[in-house]
Amino acid sequence: MNINNYFLISFLITLIINMLNFETHQCNNKPCLFHTTCNIGICNIEFHNGSLYICDNHIHHWVMGLIGLSVTFFLNTSIIKNILQGFFTSTIIDGLLFSDRFIFN
């Protein structure tokens, strides 16, 4: 992973947005900006108050960040790659701050 200005800017912006969106990192705390429910209908994918559920299983955003970060290693070196790596790294760190980070149900 190449840490440069694009990575740092993306990392910091994402971290700030996540910190402003969630007042505390408590289990079942509803986000301030994404207080809606949306049913996508494909493979039972649902969003409840900013949380992703697949087949009624909560998928933590640190897991999605880990998957996304892994995918970026297959991209060619570019500004987009650095921005995505900053975003996904920040998402992983923020997701691990939640009290329910290892509870899979």
Side-chain angles (χ1 to χ4, degrees):
M1 183 174 2
N2 183 16
I3 298 178
N4 59 25
N5 289 341
Y6 296 109
F7 175 90
L8 290 174
I9 291 169
S10 174
F11 177 82
L12 292 174
I13 289 173
T14 305
L15 197 60
I16 290 168
I17 290 171
N18 283 336
M19 292 298 163
L20 292 175
N21 187 31
F22 292 94
E23 295 169 356
T24 61
H25 285 78
Q26 300 297 318
C27 180
N28 297 323
N29 185 34
K30 295 178 182 175
C32 305
L33 301 177
F34 301 104
H35 185 63
T36 59
T37 299
C38 175
N39 184 345
I40 296 186
I42 302 170
C43 302
N44 295 325
I45 298 174
E46 297 179 346
F47 288 95
H48 297 284
N49 297 320
S51 296
L52 174 65
Y53 288 85
I54 298 176
C55 297
D56 296 326
N57 294 312
H58 177 225
I59 307 299
H60 298 278
H61 61 281
W62 69 267
V63 174
M64 292 183 288
L66 191 61
I67 293 168
L69 184 61
S70 299
V71 169
T72 63
F73 289 112
F74 296 107
L75 298 176
N76 292 330
T77 302
S78 68
I79 294 172
I80 300 295
K81 178 180 181 175
N82 294 324
I83 291 171
L84 288 174
Q85 286 179 338
F87 170 78
F88 288 128
T89 303
S90 178
T91 301
I92 292 167
I93 292 170
D94 181 64
L96 291 173
L97 296 176
F98 281 87
S99 60
D100 69 339
R101 62 191 164 268
F102 297 118
I103 298 172
F104 295 97
N105 55 1

